[in-house]
Amino acid sequence: SQQGEEDPQALSIQEGENATMNCSYKTSINNLQWYRQNSGRGLVHLILIRSNEREKHSGRLRVTLDTSKKSSSLLITASRAADTASYFCATDTGNQFYFGTGTSLTVIP
Amino acid sequence: DTAVSQTPKYLVTQMGNDKSIKCEQNLGHDTMYWYKQDSKKFLKIMFSYNNKELIINETVPNRFSPKSPDKAHLNLHINSLELGDSAVYFCASSQDFWAELFFGEGSRLTVL
């Protein structure tokens, strides 16, 4: 089975609210990345967090990594309608790279 | 300037045909990939390639083959197309294996 599993599968929130999605993985990693995919488009890299980092910020994005629990979370603050997309985590195990199952986020204006 | 471009964007064809999807990157990256995204949006790595190494996902049928005429191009050839090959195929590139990936816009293949 794939390395990364995301939770929830789908999330619907009002504009201005925060959105949190989680990623769990199975083996040790070098780094974990988050990507966004708008409908009908390619994936866009959002942020990379290394295994020795616990938290990282980029604009309205905050990523945490807990290697003891083999999990990561992506928080999008003050969401906008334009944040509507699917979000994927991806893990680099050193000799493989796995994408998670994705979370579909809908932000209602 | 489009960083990773792939053509065609849409491809409709009959079972048994042979088709190709082209990919070009202008980022100067050393590594390129092909991914398959199914109807449930699951992304499966098919090939990863740089000028030294081709890594093939062992689950990919040998009807699929990558062809790289130079560092900036990685084309995907598919022989004897089957219904189950219908999917969106993404090309991507990165400076090193599994560094930040830059994706193309995808090629939607429909096999009838």
Side-chain angles (χ1 to χ4, degrees), chain A residues 33 35 37 41 45 86 97, chain B residues 37 41 98 100-101 105:
Chain A
Q33 302 177 35
Y35 289 79
Q37 183 180 30
R41 307 295 298 274
H45 183 266
S86 292
F97 192 75
Chain B
Q37 187 173 45
K41 294 192 176 179
W98 317 130
E100 176 186 349
L101 270 64
E105 291 295 291

Side-chain angles (χ1 to χ4, degrees), chain A residues 35-104:
Chain A
Y35 289 79
R36 184 188 74 233
Q37 183 180 30
N38 290 86
S39 180
R41 307 295 298 274
L43 282 78
V44 174
H45 183 266
L46 295 176
I47 198 164
L48 179 153
I49 186 165
R50 301 194 186 283
S51 60
N52 61 355
E53 297 175 310
R54 291 298 166 258
E55 189 170 313
K56 206 160 182 181
H57 296 254
S58 176
R60 294 184 296 112
L61 306 180
R62 175 179 164 245
V63 169
T64 62
L65 179 64
D66 187 334
T67 52
S68 67
K69 294 181 179 178
K70 293 187 171 57
S71 68
S72 174
S73 67
L74 170 67
L75 168 68
I76 304 174
T77 59
S79 64
R80 305 166 181 168
D83 294 329
T84 295
S86 292
Y87 292 82
F88 295 88
C89 66
T91 51
D92 172 9
T93 66
N95 57 9
Q96 265 293 359
F97 192 75
Y98 297 96
F99 278 92
T101 49
T103 292
S104 177

Side-chain angles (χ1 to χ4, degrees), chain B residues 55-66:
Chain B
I55 301 174
I56 302 171
N57 184 326
E58 61 191 15
T59 66
V60 174
N62 57 15
R63 298 181 295 103
F64 291 80
S65 58

